[in-house]
Amino acid sequence: MTRTSPPTMTAAQPTPEDTLLFNREALGRDFLRATHTVTRDMVLGFSLAIGETNPLFIDEEAAARGPYGDIIAPPAFVASFIRLEEPPDLNLRFEGTIYMAGQWVEPLLPVRPGDTLTCTARLTDVYRKTGRTGDMVFIVVEHNFHNQHGDLVARAGRSHVRRR
């Protein structure tokens, strides 16, 4: 019986990163801009939905005596505006079922009823991993939220995965 050595990786053989086909020009570009007007009902409804108990978010009388003079939105509030989208020109050549992989929020300034938030989404990363069930591709998008004064009030991000 003749034994053969396993094939070795040479410069001519593509690595998994090389075989991940997508429009790399989409990285770092803004692809979505949306505007959302924050209402008192939205803040109170979101707070109720997540079981918030902080008076700054749910008690208008107590919040009026607090540091902001009115209710403010809980830090995770902006996450309700994040969509599971990709740039339309990503052209990712990897078919599979899409799942939410993670989400984060970095609050910077209070979000108040009456604020008009402009959200800009930017593709920050696309990468391939191999897990127990096979190949997966992760798509990472960052969202920046500015209020009507141009102040950056929050950064938020999410990643989703395509798995075969």
Side-chain angles (χ1 to χ4, degrees):
M1 174 180 244
T2 305
R3 294 189 128 195
T4 59
S5 300
T8 57
M9 185 74 80
T10 66
Q13 291 177 314
T15 64
E17 291 78 23
D18 294 335
T19 60
L20 182 57
L21 300 174
F22 69 96
N23 177 11
R24 287 176 172 22
E25 291 179 7
L27 282 170
R29 266 200 355 239
D30 295 344
F31 69 91
L32 173 72
R33 189 174 175 93
T35 302
H36 309 278
T37 301
V38 178
T39 66
R40 186 169 303 280
D41 286 345
M42 289 168 75
V43 172
L44 293 171
F46 181 84
S47 297
L48 178 67
I50 65 170
E52 186 56 68
T53 59
N54 186 325
L56 291 175
F57 309 134
I58 61 170
D59 185 335
E60 295 178 80
E61 289 179 19
R65 295 186 303 272
Y68 306 108
D70 196 0
I71 63 169
I72 59 171
F77 177 76
V78 297
S80 61
F81 300 123
I82 294 175
R83 296 190 233 167
L84 190 65
E85 290 187 38
E86 299 173 358
D89 61 346
L90 182 60
N91 297 324
L92 177 61
R93 298 214 178 105
F94 187 94
E95 297 301 319
T97 304
I98 298 175
Y99 300 95
M100 174 67 96
Q103 189 167 320
W104 55 269
V105 175
E106 178 185 5
L108 301 169
L109 293 172
V111 173
R112 307 165 186 271
D115 279 352
T116 299
L117 302 180
T118 301
C119 172
T120 305
R122 174 174 292 171
L123 178 70
T124 59
D125 203 2
V126 177
Y127 60 95
R128 178 184 226 136
K129 284 180 88 171
T130 302
R132 289 177 292 155
T133 59
D135 277 347
M136 302 174 283
V137 172
F138 289 81
I139 296 106
V140 183
V141 176
E142 182 176 294
H143 298 76
N144 289 309
F145 292 88
H146 291 83
N147 65 16
Q148 66 275 14
H149 306 294
D151 301 322
L152 180 62
V153 297
R155 285 189 186 95
R158 56 114 180 108
S159 59
H160 64 272
V161 61
R162 285 191 191 183
R163 193 180 84 187
R164 291 192 170 122

